[in-house]
Amino acid sequence: MKTLLLSLMAAASASAALVEKTVEYDQGGTTLEGFHVYDDAVSGKRPAVLVIHQWTGLTDYEKGRARQLAELGYNVFAADIYGKGVRPARPDAAKEAGKYKGDRDLFRARLKAGLEVLQKEEHTDTAKIAAIGYCFGGTGVLELARSGADIAGVVSFHGGLDAAEGKAAEKGGVKAKVLVLHGAEDPNVPTDQVLAFGKEMVEAGVDWQFVGYGGAVHAFTQKMAGNDNSKGAAYNEKADKRSWEAMKVFFAEIFE
Amino acid sequence: MKTLLLSLMAAASASAALVEKTVEYDQGGTTLEGFHVYDDAVSGKRPAVLVIHQWTGLTDYEKGRARQLAELGYNVFAADIYGKGVRPARPDAAKEAGKYKGDRDLFRARLKAGLEVLQKEEHTDTAKIAAIGYCFGGTGVLELARSGADIAGVVSFHGGLDAAEGKAAEKGGVKAKVLVLHGAEDPNVPTDQVLAFGKEMVEAGVDWQFVGYGGAVHAFTQKMAGNDNSKGAAYNEKADKRSWEAMKVFFAEIFE
């Protein structure tokens, strides 16, 4: 009987099946196409994570991260900021990202639309939602925090940290706890920007943490960035693993 | 039988007995008095941690941290930098600490003497040694790293980060991985010092990580520092817990 029970448990664990769905939704008349994934072997409502993509839009990279998070037991939605089918390569990616960085109201509206999809999804424990983002998406989750979104926390992986003119975090206005995971040698996010961000967080009374990874430049979590630090963007295995662990520890705290 | 076995296991776990010893040792003719602690319920050699005290010398605070580490399964030695019986209160503490900050060769010699006690102790797995330190001791463990000590890693809790003239880390000369846990609003370790430290680490090619805790000032791990941030030193429960978790994650990596 005991052996049977153990076998059944092992089978249940092994069968942990990810359920994946493409989700169309709308913001301001624009059709957006996100990616929803969760583990069917986990029952009921659970903590949830919103994933915001980098400048090339929602790609296999973000879907992979979403799957990793689903395997940890979270209900995950990778949002689409740009619009269905808008998945630009360089140099168009910079232009497309710039559109949202230059219009933070639009950026916030798109982020909020993605968050609402996750909030309404039946597997989400709405008291336990976090958002993570990469590069452009790192900027995005900070923007979500600055907007006063009622979520538990945000994690930026090598995101730009600059607030737009008149759009800095307001004193007492940030509900989310903030964790910034930064490549200490990232030329895209220079020291001045880091210091200005710290000042913004202090003045707004935010619960924030900043981690700088030695030896890491921009895009340190992304293998497709190559391994040449001199290009300013490169994969760094140590920083990738360490930042993922830091995120997990952060989630354990905020979802307690 | 199964119930008996479980009872025995529970008893073994509950009986996890810390063995504590005061250890006298010598450096350059000065008698030093350290504190050794380990869990007798753990068998054989194990990873080991050297603890370096703050400016008031080896006190109950460091002994408490040493016990916490022993409970995690480490073989722990809290070193004495100042000498037997030298446990100064303010303002003498600043003067005593200044003696070693102003003479890094002496500081390094005392650090090395403490490390050697731990290296020779029978429970130590000599391939798995780390050092942690608080305030003055944070500076100490960085000094140990700069000296090229052959250990796996060092963790500074709200330590001063400045290298002495001519004593900066040398390129390729630092073997230990470095984790700095810093109060983002610590007036004793200002931004200029943080930036100079980062530059030093980059130039020396050190494997380093830096964490800044929002809302935290100097001495954020120490309840006896009180709760008034405006004094520049104060306890911060969140930063205390987060930094301890960060240390544990770091140990899990370096002792792998």
Side-chain angles (χ1 to χ4, degrees):
Chain A
M1 181 60 197
K2 193 182 151 205
T3 307
L4 176 63
L5 184 63
L6 286 173
S7 300
L8 284 171
M9 284 168 68
S13 170
S15 74
L18 296 189
V19 179
E20 307 186 357
K21 278 185 283 194
T22 296
V23 179
E24 280 199 9
Y25 59 113
D26 175 276
Q27 190 285 316
T30 300
T31 301
L32 307 164
E33 189 179 78
F35 174 76
H36 176 222
V37 56
Y38 64 97
D39 184 345
D40 204 28
V42 176
S43 64
K45 293 185 185 296
R46 66 205 74 181
V49 183
L50 183 71
V51 178
I52 309 299
H53 57 74
Q54 51 169 337
W55 66 346
T56 49
L58 175 49
T59 66
D60 285 343
Y61 177 76
E62 289 79 16
K63 291 179 183 174
R65 291 297 184 182
R67 288 185 191 102
Q68 279 182 274
L69 289 163
E71 282 164 3
L72 294 175
Y74 301 119
N75 190 34
V76 188
F77 184 61
D80 173 17
I81 303 298
Y82 291 168
K84 184 175 176 178
V86 184
R87 305 292 184 261
R90 296 187 203 182
D92 292 339
K95 200 175 155 191
E96 190 66 20
K99 206 159 93 182
Y100 296 88
K101 285 192 177 178
D103 184 350
R104 302 279 172 127
D105 286 328
L106 176 60
F107 201 175
R108 290 182 184 192
R110 291 286 165 87
L111 290 157
K112 192 172 169 229
L115 177 58
E116 285 172 353
V117 171
L118 186 60
Q119 284 170 325
K120 288 173 186 161
E121 212 287 325
E122 60 177 339
H123 299 88
T124 297
D125 174 348
T126 54
K128 295 183 178 179
I129 297 179
I132 75 167
Y134 295 88
C135 304
F136 169 77
T139 308
V141 299
L142 294 178
E143 211 53 43
L144 199 58
R146 288 181 179 115
S147 77
D150 191 13
I151 55 176
V154 302
V155 183
S156 164
F157 291 85
H158 44 80
L161 306 175
D162 60 308
E165 189 72 30
K167 293 282 180 187
E170 288 174 22
K171 193 165 172 60
V174 174
K175 296 189 186 83
K177 292 177 184 181
V178 171
L179 176 63
V180 168
L181 307 171
H182 169 75
E185 297 175 50
D186 185 341
N188 293 18
V189 185
T191 302
D192 284 356
Q193 196 177 112
V194 172
L195 296 182
F197 174 76
K199 192 164 175 284
E200 180 194 1
M201 294 296 103
V202 170
E203 287 174 359
V206 178
D207 180 334
W208 68 290
Q209 302 172 72
F210 172 90
V211 187
Y213 296 105
V217 293
H218 200 59
F220 59 79
T221 64
Q222 303 179 337
K223 287 184 181 165
M224 64 277 202
N227 287 298
D228 182 358
N229 267 15
S230 73
K231 291 186 175 167
Y235 181 65
N236 183 302
E237 189 181 359
K238 274 184 195 167
D240 180 22
K241 289 183 176 172
R242 288 169 177 174
S243 59
W244 190 255
E245 286 304 311
M247 179 203 71
K248 288 201 288 184
V249 169
F250 180 69
F251 284 173
E253 179 198 312
I254 67 173
F255 293 149
E256 202 177 25
Chain B
M1 182 60 200
K2 193 182 154 204
T3 306
L4 176 64
L5 186 63
L6 286 174
S7 300
L8 284 170
M9 285 169 68
S13 171
S15 73
L18 297 189
V19 178
E20 306 185 359
K21 278 184 282 192
T22 296
V23 179
E24 279 199 9
Y25 59 113
D26 174 278
Q27 190 284 317
T30 299
T31 301
L32 307 163
E33 188 179 78
F35 174 76
H36 175 224
V37 57
Y38 63 98
D39 184 345
D40 204 28
V42 177
S43 62
K45 292 186 186 295
R46 66 204 74 179
V49 183
L50 183 70
V51 178
I52 308 300
H53 57 73
Q54 51 168 339
W55 65 346
T56 49
L58 174 50
T59 66
D60 285 344
Y61 176 77
E62 289 78 18
K63 289 180 184 174
R65 292 296 184 183
R67 288 184 191 104
Q68 280 183 274
L69 289 162
E71 282 164 3
L72 294 174
Y74 301 119
N75 190 34
V76 188
F77 184 60
D80 173 17
I81 303 298
Y82 290 168
K84 184 176 177 178
V86 184
R87 305 292 183 262
R90 297 186 203 183
D92 291 341
K95 201 175 153 191
E96 189 67 21
K99 206 159 92 182
Y100 297 87
K101 284 192 176 176
D103 183 350
R104 303 278 172 126
D105 286 328
L106 176 61
F107 201 175
R108 289 182 183 191
R110 292 286 164 89
L111 290 157
K112 192 173 169 227
L115 176 59
E116 283 172 355
V117 171
L118 186 60
Q119 284 170 325
K120 288 173 186 161
E121 211 286 327
E122 61 177 337
H123 299 88
T124 297
D125 175 348
T126 54
K128 295 183 179 180
I129 298 179
I132 75 167
Y134 295 89
C135 303
F136 168 77
T139 309
V141 299
L142 293 177
E143 211 52 42
L144 199 58
R146 289 180 178 114
S147 77
D150 191 13
I151 55 177
V154 302
V155 183
S156 164
F157 292 84
H158 44 80
L161 306 174
D162 59 306
E165 189 71 32
K167 294 281 181 186
E170 287 174 23
K171 194 167 172 59
V174 173
K175 296 188 187 82
K177 293 178 183 178
V178 172
L179 176 62
V180 168
L181 306 172
H182 169 75
E185 297 174 50
D186 185 341
N188 294 18
V189 186
T191 302
D192 285 356
Q193 196 179 110
V194 172
L195 296 181
F197 174 76
K199 192 164 176 284
E200 181 195 0
M201 293 296 102
V202 170
E203 287 175 359
V206 178
D207 180 334
W208 68 290
Q209 302 173 71
F210 172 89
V211 186
Y213 296 105
V217 293
H218 199 61
F220 61 78
T221 64
Q222 304 179 339
K223 287 184 180 166
M224 65 276 202
N227 287 298
D228 183 358
N229 267 15
S230 74
K231 291 186 175 166
Y235 181 65
N236 183 303
E237 189 180 358
K238 274 184 194 167
D240 180 22
K241 288 183 176 171
R242 288 169 177 174
S243 59
W244 190 255
E245 285 305 308
M247 178 203 72
K248 288 201 289 186
V249 170
F250 181 69
F251 283 173
E253 179 197 311
I254 67 173
F255 293 150
E256 201 177 25

